Amino acid sequence: MALLEVVDVSKVFPGVRALDDVSFTLQPGEVHALVGENGAGKSTLIKVLTGVYQPDGGQLRYRDEPARFDSPMDAQRAGISTIYQEVNLIPLMSVAHNLFLGREPRTAYGLLDEKRMFREAHEILLRYGVTTDVRRQLGTLALGAQQMVALARAVMIDAKVVIMDEPTSSLEPREVETLFGVIRDLHSQGIGIIYVSHRLDELYQICDAVTILRDGKVVHTGKLADLERLRLVSLMLGRDMSAVRHEGFTGFGGDHGGAEDAAPVLKVTDLNSRRKLHDISFAVRPGEVVGLGGLLGAGRSETIKAIGGAYPVDGGEIAVDGKALNRPTTVQAVKAGIAVQPEDRKAEGIVAGLSVRENIALAILPRMSKLGLVSDRKIDEVVRTYMTRLRIKASSPDQRVGDLSGGNQQKVLLARLLATQPKVLLLDEPTRGIDVGAKAEVQGLIDELAAEGLGVVLVSSDAEELVEGSDRVVVLRDGAVVGELRGDAVTTEALLETIAAAAVEAKEVGNDD
Amino acid sequence: MSTGIVSDPEVPAAVVAADERRAERTDRMVGLVQRQGALAVLIVVVLVATASFPNFRSFDNAGTILIAAAPPALIALGMTFVIITGGIDLSVGSLYVLGGVVSAYASQWGLIPAFLVPLAVCGVIGVLNGLLIAYTRMAPFIVTLAALLGARGLMRALSDEGSTTYLVRSDTFRSFGTGSFLGIGYPVWLVAAVFVLGMVLLSRTRFGHAVYAVGGSEDAASLMGIAVRRTKVWVYVMSGLLAGLAGAINAAKLGSGVTVLGTGMELDAIAAVVIGGTLLTGGAGTIAGTIAGVLLLGVIQNMINQVGNVPSSYQQVISGAFLAVVVVAQTYLVRLRRVT
C-alpha cells in the first residue's frame, strides 16, 4: 500500500510550466529524497502536497484514496506535516506556544492549560536535545534549536507524512545527528518522509529512495542505493557525466594567491568583542582568498560583521591598506573599501520588493548623485555593466529581485557590493541555498574577483567549497583562532582535523570542570 | 552564540549552561520591563501626584479618573487586539461618536436597545473593516481611514449636520450612566468586567494565541494552520463593538448623543496601547499594559486639571512626550533581546 501517490500532476504559472506530469510514490516508512536544481519544481511540488497550491492537472492519492488539500491546515489535519527551509515559526511567541499553536491543551472550561502545555513541551523537546526553558521567546534561541522546535511540531500532530525542505541548512553536525536519529525513529514507526536537500552526503546517509526533478519533470525515480553519486548529479544538472567529472563539484579554479610579500589589504589585529570574539588576528593580501573555517557558532559570522562595522567591537584594530579604522561604523567601513555580503540574504541583503536596478544602485546612490539628485543615466550604466559581468539572469533591470532564483539574487547582491568598488570583499556563505549550477558560477566569480586584485574573506560551512576556494584557511573555535592552513595543507582532511583537534581539546577542558 | 542544544562538542558543557542561563535571565528581565514598564511609571506618577496635590488622593477624585477613563479604555481594549495582529483601527473615534448618537436615539425604546443598536451599527462597520482587510489584503490604515470618514458622515447625516442633539429618553439608561455602586460608577464596573473577559480571551484561549501568531508572522501562522483571515475579521469586529459600547456608555453618562466629541480618540487609544508595551509592529502586548497606559494618560490629565493654571492642552504635550519615551525604550528593549 502506498502512503502518498502523486499521479501525473501539472501546475502552470503564467509563462512557466512548473510541474509537468510529475508522478512519484511514497511508501510507509520510506525516506524519499526529492532533488533537483532550484527552479526544477521541488518547491512547487511541496506546495501542491501541502495544500498551498492546487494542481492544474493529475491527482494526489493519499492512503489509496484520491485526496485534495484546500489549505495547509487541511493537509495538516490529514497528517501531512512540513518543515520549511526557513524556520516558519513565530519568533515573538514562547517556545511552548509555538509548539502547540492551534492545538493547545485545554481545561474543562475551554481555557488553555498552560501548565500542562509547558510541561509537555519540555518533555517533548528533551527528545530532540533542546533543554532550554520553554517559556522563552522562540526568537532568542539559536537557529538550530528553532529548527528542532519546528521538527518537533511537525511530528507531534500524528503525522503520517513529514516533508522536510532543507532541514539541515542551519544545523551543526551534532544537531544533524539528532535530526537523523529522529528520522530513523519516524521511519521505524512507518511514517513516510520526503527529504529535500542539496547535500549529497546526507541523502546517501539517510534516504532509501530518490526522485529527481528537472525543469518540472521527473527524470529519475527509484532506489537511491542503485544510483551512483555522479549519475545523480548529472541527472540533476542534465549535463554529460564526463563534463561533470571534468569540472569537479565546485566552480573554483586553481590557486591565485597574491604575492607572499605584498602588503596586506586587510589586517585584523587582536579583535575582541564581548564574549564572542577573542584576540582574532589575520591578514588578507590583494588577490588572495582567505577562508574562515570552523563550526557554526565559532565566531566566523561575528568576525565578518565586526570588520564590516555591524557588530560591536571592544578592542583590536582593523586596518585597510595600512590605514587603521577604530571601531568602524558600517558607513566608515564602506568608505574604507570593505564590502560585506551577509549570511542571511533575505533578511540582511537584498530588498525583495525592489527591482534589480534599485538593488544594485542602493549602496552607490551617494556617489551617483549631485546636490542630492540622482543621475539615472550613470546608474543605468553601472547596472548594465554589472548585470553583464556577473551574468545576472533577469528579464530586465526592472524585474523584482524577489522573483529571481536564489543564485541570481546572490549575484545581484554581489553586484551591489562590487559597485561600491571595494578593496576587500567579505562573503558569508555566498552559495547557501542556491542550486548547483549557480553555485559553480558564483564560485567562479569569486575566483575572478580575487584574480583582479581584491582581497576576499570567505566563510562557508561547505568544507569542500572552503578548501577549494581559499588560498589559506584560518580556523576559528569559540571565537578564537586555533589554526591556519596554508599552501598544500589546505585540504578537507586537514581542515576537519584542525576543527576536530580543537574540539578534542575543548572536551578535555570540559572534563576537568 | 548561545544555543538551546545540549552537548555542543566544541564548547565545554558548563560554558553553554552558563551562557544559556544568562540569556534566559536577560530575556526574562527584558520581558518584564516590556510588560510592566507602564505599570511602574503609573505607580510613580500616582505617588508623586498623591504627595503634591491634596485633592488628588480623595476617593472622589479616583472615581472621577476612572469614570472619565471608562470609554477610552474600551476603545483601547479593542485597539490592543487589533495592534497585536499587526493592524490598526482608525475608525474607532468616529464609531464612538456614531455609537453615542445612535444610542441616545435608540434610548426612546428602552435600556436594551440603547445598548444593542449602537453595538449592531458599529459591529457591522467592524465586519466591513475586517472583511476588506482580511480578504482583499488592503492596508488596515486605508480601510479604517475610509470607515472613519464614512462613520463620521453617517453621524452628521443622522444629526442633521450636528444641529439635532438626541437626548436620552430612557431613565434606566440615564441612571446607568450616572449611578454608582460602592461609590464607583456603573460604567466602570461594566468596563472592568469587559476587561476581565478581554484578558481571558487574549491570554487563555486559542483565539488569543492566534491573535499573537498572526501579528508575529502572518505567513508562519497560516502555514501552521491558523485561520489568519478569520482571526483578523474578528479583531476588527471586536474593535467596532467596543467603540460602539464606549459610545453608548458616554451617551448614558452625558444624557445625550454629543456630536462634537471623539475626534482624535483613535490616536489616544493607540497612544495608550503603545505606552502599555504593545508593539506597534504586532505580535506582542498585554491588556494589563493597556490598562496601565489608559490610566496613565487619565492621571496625567487629572493632575494637570489639579494644577489649575496650566492649560489642559499641555496634557497632550506630556502624553506625547511619554509616548516618545516609551517607543524609544521599546526599540532598545527589543534589540537587547535579539542580541543575546
Side-chain angles (χ1 to χ4, degrees), chain B residues 26-52:
Chain B
T26 320
D27 188 45
R28 266 204 300 277
M29 280 281 296
V30 171
L32 192 72
V33 175
Q34 248 173 353
R35 281 193 305 274
Q36 311 298 351
L39 185 62
V41 176
L42 177 64
I43 291 170
V44 171
V45 170
V46 168
L47 288 177
V48 169
T50 310
S52 342

Side-chain angles (χ1 to χ4, degrees), chain A residues 97 104 112 137 274-275, chain B residues 19 204 206 209 337 339:
Chain A
H97 281 122
E104 294 92 343
L112 301 189
Q137 269 191 4
R274 296 221 284 179
R275 289 175 297 116
Chain B
D19 267 15
R204 300 298 302 277
R206 287 191 181 172
H209 285 258
R337 232 174 180 180
V339 170

Side-chain angles (χ1 to χ4, degrees), chain A residues 68-373:
Chain A
R68 181 192 160 84
F69 305 122
D70 290 325
S71 67
M73 211 180 347
D74 218 24
Q76 268 187 35
R77 276 207 208 97
I80 298 183
S81 273
T82 314
I83 322 171
Y84 295 91
Q85 185 173 359
E86 271 124 49
V87 182
N88 260 295
L89 298 172
I90 320 272
L92 283 172
M93 293 180 84
S94 77
V95 173
H97 281 122
N98 267 289
L99 203 54
F100 281 98
L101 190 66
R103 46 171 188 275
E104 294 92 343
R106 287 189 283 195
T107 62
Y109 306 106
L111 299 182
L112 301 189
D113 189 348
E114 290 206 314
K115 244 188 222 153
R116 198 175 124 206
M117 199 165 94
F118 289 141
R119 195 184 58 233
E120 287 184 4
H122 183 70
E123 285 165 8
I124 291 169
L125 288 175
L126 275 186
R127 276 184 259 148
Y128 293 85
V130 180
T131 54
T132 188
D133 181 355
V134 294
R135 281 165 298 188
R136 239 173 100 178
Q137 269 191 4
L138 181 95
T140 62
L141 263 56
L143 270 182
Q146 293 188 27
Q147 189 82 49
M148 285 298 167
V149 176
L151 176 64
R153 184 184 155 89
V155 172
M156 66 186 255
I157 48 165
D158 290 327
K160 304 281 183 297
V161 175
V162 178
I163 301 171
M164 301 184 180
D165 190 359
E166 299 262 1
T168 55
S169 59
S170 52
L171 298 189
E172 290 184 43
R174 180 57 63 103
E175 295 168 336
V176 172
E177 275 314 306
T178 313
L179 175 75
F180 284 0
V182 173
I183 291 179
R184 283 185 198 107
D185 198 34
L186 297 176
H187 165 84
S188 65
Q189 292 171 33
I191 292 170
I193 293 163
I194 297 176
Y195 191 94
V196 179
S197 177
H198 284 129
R199 298 185 179 172
L200 299 186
D201 290 335
E202 288 177 3
L203 298 183
Y204 279 93
Q205 209 179 328
I206 198 79
C207 297
D208 312 310
V210 62
T211 292
I212 305 171
L213 288 177
R214 193 173 71 227
D215 301 330
K217 295 192 184 75
V218 173
V219 292
H220 178 90
T221 182
K223 287 258 170 287
L224 183 61
D226 301 342
L227 190 68
E228 200 193 332
R229 226 173 236 247
L230 205 59
R231 172 116 186 95
L232 179 103
V233 174
S234 67
L235 278 169
M236 245 166 82
L237 300 181
R239 287 194 206 163
D240 189 51
M241 295 248 282
S242 58
V244 173
R245 206 184 297 268
H246 176 72
E247 285 175 24
F249 287 105
T250 69
F252 289 115
D255 282 355
H256 19 68
E260 279 285 321
D261 48 353
V265 64
L266 172 72
K267 194 164 191 298
V268 177
T269 322
D270 293 335
L271 198 62
N272 273 294
S273 179
R274 296 221 284 179
R275 289 175 297 116
K276 306 280 188 191
L277 303 178
H278 312 288
D279 297 334
I280 300 230
S281 302
F282 66 94
V284 184
R285 283 179 281 273
E288 191 182 35
V289 179
V290 174
L292 289 185
L295 297 172
L296 205 74
R300 298 167 305 176
S301 296
E302 286 82 357
T303 304
I304 281 198
K305 281 190 183 169
I307 297 170
Y311 198 81
V313 176
D314 300 327
E317 198 185 78
I318 297 161
V320 176
D321 262 352
K323 262 182 284 177
L325 303 166
N326 277 328
R327 302 190 189 185
T329 61
T330 46
V331 176
Q332 283 169 349
V334 171
K335 266 197 191 142
I338 298 174
V340 182
Q341 176 248 305
E343 182 182 7
D344 191 340
R345 184 168 66 230
K346 281 193 183 147
E348 299 173 340
I350 59 155
V351 186
L354 292 184
S355 67
V356 171
R357 179 179 184 276
E358 288 163 312
N359 265 285
I360 295 179
L362 218 50
I364 48 164
L365 287 179
R367 204 158 49 77
M368 290 285 122
S369 51
K370 254 194 192 128
L371 303 172
L373 297 176

Side-chain angles (χ1 to χ4, degrees), chain A residues 475-513:
Chain A
V475 183
L476 302 183
R477 173 179 65 81
D478 222 3
V481 177
V482 290
E484 185 179 323
L485 313 176
R486 313 165 163 266
D488 291 339
V490 185
T491 61
T492 318
E493 292 75 25
L495 174 64
L496 295 182
E497 265 168 34
T498 314
I499 292 173
V504 167
E505 215 174 282
K507 225 176 236 165
E508 280 165 7
V509 174
N511 289 343
D512 288 345
D513 277 353

Side-chain angles (χ1 to χ4, degrees), chain B residues 125-210:
Chain B
I125 296 176
V127 171
L128 291 178
N129 275 340
L131 289 177
L132 281 173
I133 289 163
Y135 288 88
T136 67
R137 303 190 69 107
M138 285 201 280
F141 187 93
I142 298 301
V143 172
T144 58
L145 180 62
L148 178 157
L149 298 173
R152 189 188 287 166
L154 206 55
M155 180 273 292
R156 288 241 176 90
L158 286 177
S159 61
D160 302 323
E161 297 293 324
S163 59
T164 309
T165 304
Y166 297 104
L167 295 178
V168 169
R169 306 271 179 212
S170 158
D171 287 339
T172 21
F173 187 53
R174 182 83 183 100
S175 58
F176 164 79
T178 50
S180 64
F181 175 66
L182 299 177
I184 293 175
Y186 290 132
V188 177
W189 291 106
L190 177 64
V191 170
V194 173
F195 263 84
V196 170
L197 287 179
M199 274 175 161
V200 172
L201 187 65
L202 184 61
S203 65
R204 300 298 302 277
T205 66
R206 287 191 181 172
F207 171 76
H209 285 258

Side-chain angles (χ1 to χ4, degrees), chain B residues 3-4 29 73 82 93 97 104 124 179 183 188 194 206 211 222 229 231 260 271 278 281 289 295 300 306 327 336:
Chain B
T3 87
M29 280 281 296
V82 171
V97 186
V124 165
V188 177
V194 173
R206 287 191 181 172
V211 167
S222 106
R229 287 185 290 206
T231 308
V260 291
T278 297
T281 44
L295 290 178
I300 293 169
Q306 305 270 348
V327 172
L336 200 64

